[in-house]
Amino acid sequence: VWSRGHYVVAFIFALFVSSAASHIYYIVKKSHSAENVNDELWVHLPFSLWHGFTTFLIFVTAFEAFGVNAHRHHAGVFTKVFVFLALLFLESTSAAYAFSSPEGDLAGSIAIAWSLFGVFDHQRSSAFIHWSALAFAILSTFWIAKSLYGLFTRGRSSSGVTDSERAPLIGSA
């Protein structure tokens, strides 16, 4: 579909793929905890990457389907504003991945940051888009660092408080 120039149809298919990825991602994150390294590598990691990349794919196909041809026309003010908002949304998504749990979703943040660095590398027609993508990509690497910090410190809980110590004194919770 994409190679034949049917970009609106490709956008609709991308919405379906992203919807499926989001649904599966939600089920995996909320209903299936990673009990060992194999669960993390073969269940959580692929769906985190898939969700991050399909989130980016939505914006790529939307700009291809509804935007102007960058090879023939320069980006106008509205295009630059919409691209900036899309980049902001993607960077915010990377932050949401980082704060989704104490250790964060490292793979989702990496997928978004990698995509933003790709936008920085390939968008040379507009300096505003080029450098905005770099700024948001760098911000996304901070969320990767936050996830890495949470990943390495998750087993080092300094408080020895148990659930029975946190239970209410009166009543049943």
Side-chain angles (χ1 to χ4, degrees):
V1 173
W2 185 271
S3 64
R4 294 182 185 252
H6 302 293
Y7 300 122
V8 175
V9 176
F11 174 69
I12 292 169
F13 283 146
L15 287 174
F16 287 135
V17 169
S18 182
S19 174
S22 295
H23 181 70
I24 295 169
Y25 177 79
Y26 177 77
I27 290 171
V28 166
K29 285 294 179 185
K30 297 299 177 195
S31 302
H32 184 272
S33 63
E35 296 174 1
N36 54 33
V37 176
N38 281 328
D39 282 350
E40 191 67 41
L41 279 177
W42 305 113
V43 177
H44 288 265
L45 179 68
F47 286 110
S48 293
L49 289 172
W50 187 33
H51 188 258
F53 281 126
T54 56
T55 302
F56 175 73
L57 181 66
I58 289 294
F59 290 101
V60 170
T61 56
F63 281 108
E64 190 64 37
F66 305 112
V68 296
N69 188 343
H71 296 294
R72 289 188 230 149
H73 304 287
H74 290 289
V77 174
F78 287 118
T79 301
K80 290 178 183 180
V81 167
F82 287 134
V83 169
F84 186 84
L85 291 174
L87 295 173
L88 176 66
F89 177 81
L90 288 168
E91 188 274 330
S92 300
T93 303
S94 181
Y97 282 137
F99 288 101
S100 65
S101 65
E103 66 271 1
D105 185 357
L106 182 62
S109 292
I110 288 173
I112 296 291
W114 186 272
S115 301
L116 290 172
F117 277 115
V119 171
F120 164 71
D121 185 44
H122 289 283
Q123 292 298 320
R124 305 256 183 205
S125 61
S126 170
F128 176 76
I129 295 171
H130 179 74
W131 295 110
S132 295
L134 177 64
F136 286 122
I138 290 170
L139 286 173
S140 291
T141 58
F142 288 122
W143 306 127
I144 293 171
K146 188 268 178 210
S147 294
L148 281 171
Y149 176 77
L151 187 67
F152 288 120
T153 60
R154 73 175 164 184
R156 301 179 191 166
S157 177
S158 61
S159 70
V161 179
T162 62
D163 287 334
S164 61
E165 292 175 342
R166 293 185 184 160
L169 294 174
I170 300 174
S172 61

